């Protein structure tokens, strides 16, 4: 029997990338050959996102590209957008199957022979049936892996479709995560980024979703796993990033001084409309404690601008709040309407041009914050882990506190940790470095 080839395309977050990798391994275990997207595969699996703008347009474009490479290919759509709008996606020309959140990890079994139907088929049960936790991790980069330890969300933020797309919060056990990390250590992975939909809510387990453990338990257990140099905590809600976790990371051997904490707005009024579970005072307290116990820590912030009801004064309140905070960079998103959420029904719509202007202002502030953060580290010695990602003869690495360092490509450096002295920020906003007692390190 001829071996069928399969190719993948992932839209959206690091969690999606880890899940695409897990689905890819299922195909390989069944004897399929995994190939690059442009290599005319027999089967294409497109993992979609509902958070970023224009999910429908992006999905259609990727389907079109897949069919350019092989007009006879079997095209399958999975992911958040597939759960939210399965029927709509099934009608896209060239789509043969759409699988929801509860079905995507059974894709190979459900579609079996990959026989093309007359029209797109939908395999998507109600999101309430997505109750099982499916572990996943990204693979292919021996330096860094994104490890999914939690899925779903019990929060009801007024702008967000994630609970509708991924279901309720659930996770595996601390012991199961430790076991997976030990296996990853054997493959030579140097850094693991812990990911989840609501990562700090780790610990709800089993069919009844009992609170058996918590995120602090997981962090403590992973700190004792031999063979992994670095752990990073990806985005964690400020109300779930407890003082205990922050103080533990400060004295940890393996957890990096790097936090990504979504804020969304610096206005308490807007946070209330967003149905967030904290106010700006708590956020400021978290940042202050991190900087007190880890002065060199990197802190990234998510912000949404142009939310319904956000006046110019509300926006300036956010701007001033962020300007005064000791943070390192921002991820700024103009608000975009999502069907089946509360936010679009709120009064005070901010027009698109104004959303764009506010986004631009905060992205400029982010650049200033990042450059200032980098410049504070000029002259300091630190360890840089270099990655297998080369652009125009340049490779990049990261310090423990997530400063991106540029170097001339050297195959011997890939996946290696090198102790260097940081020197200055270059025009590309990357940090340059030198070996101790030597000239500038191959910039």
């Amino acid at each position: 029997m001829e071996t069928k080839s399969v190719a993948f395309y992932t839209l959206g977050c690091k969690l999606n990338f880890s899940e695409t990798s897990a689905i890819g391994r299922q195909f390989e275990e069944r004897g399929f050959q995994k190939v690059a997207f442009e290599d005319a595969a027999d089967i294409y699996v497109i993992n979609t996102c509902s958070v970023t703008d224009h999910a429908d347009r992006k999905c259609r474009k990727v389907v079109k590209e897949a069919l350019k490479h092989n007009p006879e290919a079997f095209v399958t759509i999975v992911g958040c957008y597939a759960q939210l709008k399965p029927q709509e996606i099934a009608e896209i020309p060239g789509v043969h199957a759409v699988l929801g959140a509860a079905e995507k990890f059974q894709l190979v079994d459900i579609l079996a022979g990959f026989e093309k139907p007359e029209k797109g088929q939908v395999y998507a049960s109600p999101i309430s049936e997505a109750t099982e936790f499916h572990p996943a991790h990204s693979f292919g980069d021996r330096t860094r892996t994104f490890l999914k330890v939690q899925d779903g969300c019990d929060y009801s933020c007024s702008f967000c479709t994630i609970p509708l797309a991924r279901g309720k919060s659930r996770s595996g056990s601390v012991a199961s995560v430790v076991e997976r990390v030990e296996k990853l250590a054997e493959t030579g992975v140097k850094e693991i980024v812990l990911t989840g939909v609501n990562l700090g809510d780790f610990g709800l387990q089993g069919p009844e979703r009992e609170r058996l453990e918590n995120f602090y338990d997981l962090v403590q257990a992973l700190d004792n796993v031999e063979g992994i140099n670095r752990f990073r905590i990806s985005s964690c809600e400020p109300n779930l990033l407890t003082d205990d976790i922050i103080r533990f990371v400060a004295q940890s051997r393996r957890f990096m001084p790097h936090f990504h904490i979504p804020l969304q707005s610096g206005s308490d009024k807007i946070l209330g409309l967003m149905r967030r579970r904290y106010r700006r005072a708590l956020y400021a307290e978290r940042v202050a404690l991190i900087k007190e116990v880890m002065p060199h820590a990197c802190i990234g912030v998510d912000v949404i601008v142009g939310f319904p009801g956000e006046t110019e004064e509300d926006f300036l309140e956010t701007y001033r709040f962020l300007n005064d905070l000791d943070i390192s960079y921002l991820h700024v998103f103009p608000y975009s309407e999502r069907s089946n959420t509360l936010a679009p029904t709120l009064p005070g719509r901010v027009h698109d041009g104004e959303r764009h202007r506010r986004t631009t202002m905060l992205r400029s502030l982010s650049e200033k914050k990042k450059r200032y953060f980098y410049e504070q580290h000029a002259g300091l010695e630190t360890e840089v882990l270099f990655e297998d990602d080369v652009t125009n003869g340049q490779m990049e690495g990261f310090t423990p506190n997530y400063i991106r360092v540029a170097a001339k490509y050297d195959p011997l450096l890939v996946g290696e940790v090198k102790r260097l002295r940081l020197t200055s920020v270059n025009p590309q906003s990357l940090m340059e470095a030198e070996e101790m007692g030597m000239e500038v390190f191959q910039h």
Side-chain angles (χ1 to χ4, degrees):
M1 187 179 155
E2 188 191 346
T3 301
K4 284 191 172 178
S5 59
V6 59
F8 297 86
Y9 193 94
T10 306
L11 293 156
C13 63
K14 299 294 189 288
L15 192 61
N16 270 8
F17 280 90
S18 70
E19 291 182 340
T20 299
S21 285
I23 295 166
R25 287 190 290 279
Q26 290 177 358
F27 272 94
E28 289 176 304
E29 284 160 11
R30 302 291 184 90
F32 290 82
Q33 182 193 2
K34 196 171 161 187
V35 298
F37 188 83
E38 59 276 12
D39 285 351
D42 298 313
I43 301 158
Y44 283 94
V45 179
I46 301 165
N47 194 352
T48 60
C49 172
S50 69
V51 174
T52 50
D53 262 339
H54 312 302
D56 178 66
R57 186 168 57 79
K58 287 176 182 174
C59 186
R60 285 173 186 273
K61 189 171 182 185
V62 180
V63 170
K64 215 169 175 181
E65 285 301 311
L67 294 172
K68 263 190 209 169
H69 297 307
N70 180 10
E72 300 304 311
F74 188 105
V75 177
T76 308
I77 313 293
V78 299
C80 291
Y81 186 50
Q83 177 66 37
L84 293 173
K85 301 280 179 73
Q87 211 54 58
E88 200 174 286
I89 298 168
E91 287 164 17
I92 294 174
V95 169
H96 301 106
V98 183
L99 280 80
E103 291 77 20
K104 63 187 170 189
F105 289 104
Q106 280 81 50
L107 190 156
V108 187
D109 291 324
I110 290 171
L111 299 179
F114 291 91
E115 299 295 331
K116 285 195 213 166
E118 289 284 316
K119 59 176 190 168
Q121 299 294 300
V122 171
Y123 305 89
S125 47
I127 195 60
S128 57
E129 292 183 29
T131 55
E132 202 177 328
F133 176 73
H134 294 276
H137 65 268
S138 61
F139 202 70
D141 179 351
R142 64 191 172 97
T143 308
R144 183 196 286 183
T145 276
F146 293 91
L147 177 66
K148 173 187 165 189
V149 300
Q150 185 275 340
D151 201 351
C153 186
D154 292 347
Y155 289 7
S156 53
C157 298
S158 61
F159 55 82
C160 185
T161 55
I162 292 296
L164 302 173
R166 283 188 169 270
K168 291 185 178 298
S169 179
R170 58 201 184 274
S171 53
S173 64
V174 168
S176 66
V177 177
V178 167
E179 189 183 334
R180 284 159 59 210
V181 166
E182 287 171 342
K183 285 180 180 165
L184 284 170
E186 289 169 13
T187 69
V189 167
K190 296 288 200 306
E191 179 175 306
I192 290 177
V193 184
L194 303 178
T195 65
V197 173
N198 189 355
L199 182 62
D201 199 34
F202 173 91
L204 293 165
Q205 297 166 32
E208 303 303 313
R209 298 193 316 122
E210 289 179 80
R211 170 73 64 195
L212 299 177
E213 295 165 312
N214 61 39
F215 190 51
Y216 184 41
D217 297 331
L218 179 65
V219 168
Q220 291 177 96
L222 292 178
D223 204 49
N224 291 314
V225 178
E226 297 295 332
I228 299 292
N229 301 48
R230 297 176 168 193
F231 288 100
R232 288 189 196 276
I233 297 170
S234 68
S235 186
C236 186
E237 294 284 303
N239 51 303
L240 297 174
L241 184 64
T242 62
D243 290 1
D244 285 342
I245 294 169
I246 293 167
R247 291 187 187 280
F248 186 84
V249 170
Q251 55 81 53
S252 163
R253 295 174 296 159
R254 295 188 170 92
F255 275 83
M256 299 294 99
H258 173 210
F259 298 88
H260 194 92
I261 318 170
L263 169 67
Q264 310 309 10
S265 177
S267 157
D268 281 346
K269 177 191 116 180
I270 299 300
L271 288 173
L273 291 172
M274 288 177 165
R275 293 189 167 177
R276 301 293 284 163
R277 297 196 177 196
Y278 56 87
R279 294 298 178 261
R280 55 185 258 160
L282 180 129
Y283 196 95
E285 284 168 19
R286 293 290 186 265
V287 171
L289 178 60
I290 290 168
K291 286 298 186 173
E292 179 193 323
V293 295
M294 291 169 274
H296 293 303
C298 177
I299 302 175
V301 184
D302 286 340
V303 196
I304 294 171
V305 297
F307 189 80
E310 183 187 67
T311 63
E312 179 69 5
E313 186 47 48
D314 296 328
F315 168 69
L316 290 175
E317 193 179 354
T318 294
Y319 188 96
R320 288 190 290 263
F321 181 66
L322 289 165
N323 191 46
D324 293 344
L325 271 184
D326 194 357
I327 54 170
S328 315
Y329 63 90
L330 304 169
H331 285 167
V332 188
F333 305 92
Y335 167 73
S336 60
E337 287 78 3
R338 292 285 177 268
S339 53
N340 300 316
T341 61
L342 176 69
T345 69
L346 298 173
R349 183 184 184 277
V350 179
H351 67 77
D352 293 348
E354 187 56 33
R355 294 183 209 186
H356 178 72
R357 184 186 71 84
R358 293 175 188 179
T359 300
T360 303
M361 278 180 70
L362 280 184
R363 285 181 179 160
S364 296
L365 178 63
S366 178
E367 282 304 310
K368 284 196 290 189
K369 288 277 187 185
K370 183 179 163 189
R371 180 169 282 272
Y372 179 76
F373 177 67
Y374 277 26
E375 286 169 351
Q376 299 309 295
H377 292 77
L380 296 180
E381 290 180 19
T382 188
E383 292 185 333
V384 179
L385 172 59
F386 284 98
E387 305 204 337
D388 190 9
D389 192 8
V390 185
T391 311
N392 300 326
Q394 289 274 107
M395 66 192 300
E396 295 175 5
F398 287 93
T399 65
N401 60 346
Y402 210 59
I403 291 174
R404 196 185 289 257
V405 177
K408 186 178 174 187
Y409 174 63
D410 178 347
L412 294 178
L413 283 178
V414 173
E416 295 300 319
V417 174
K418 193 163 183 74
R419 191 156 187 86
L420 300 170
R421 181 182 290 112
L422 304 179
T423 56
S424 60
V425 185
N426 70 18
Q428 290 74 46
S429 296
L430 301 172
M431 182 62 93
E432 296 197 343
E434 63 185 10
E435 296 191 69
M436 270 65 80
M438 294 179 68
E439 291 304 306
V440 172
F441 183 68
Q442 299 185 326
H443 61 88

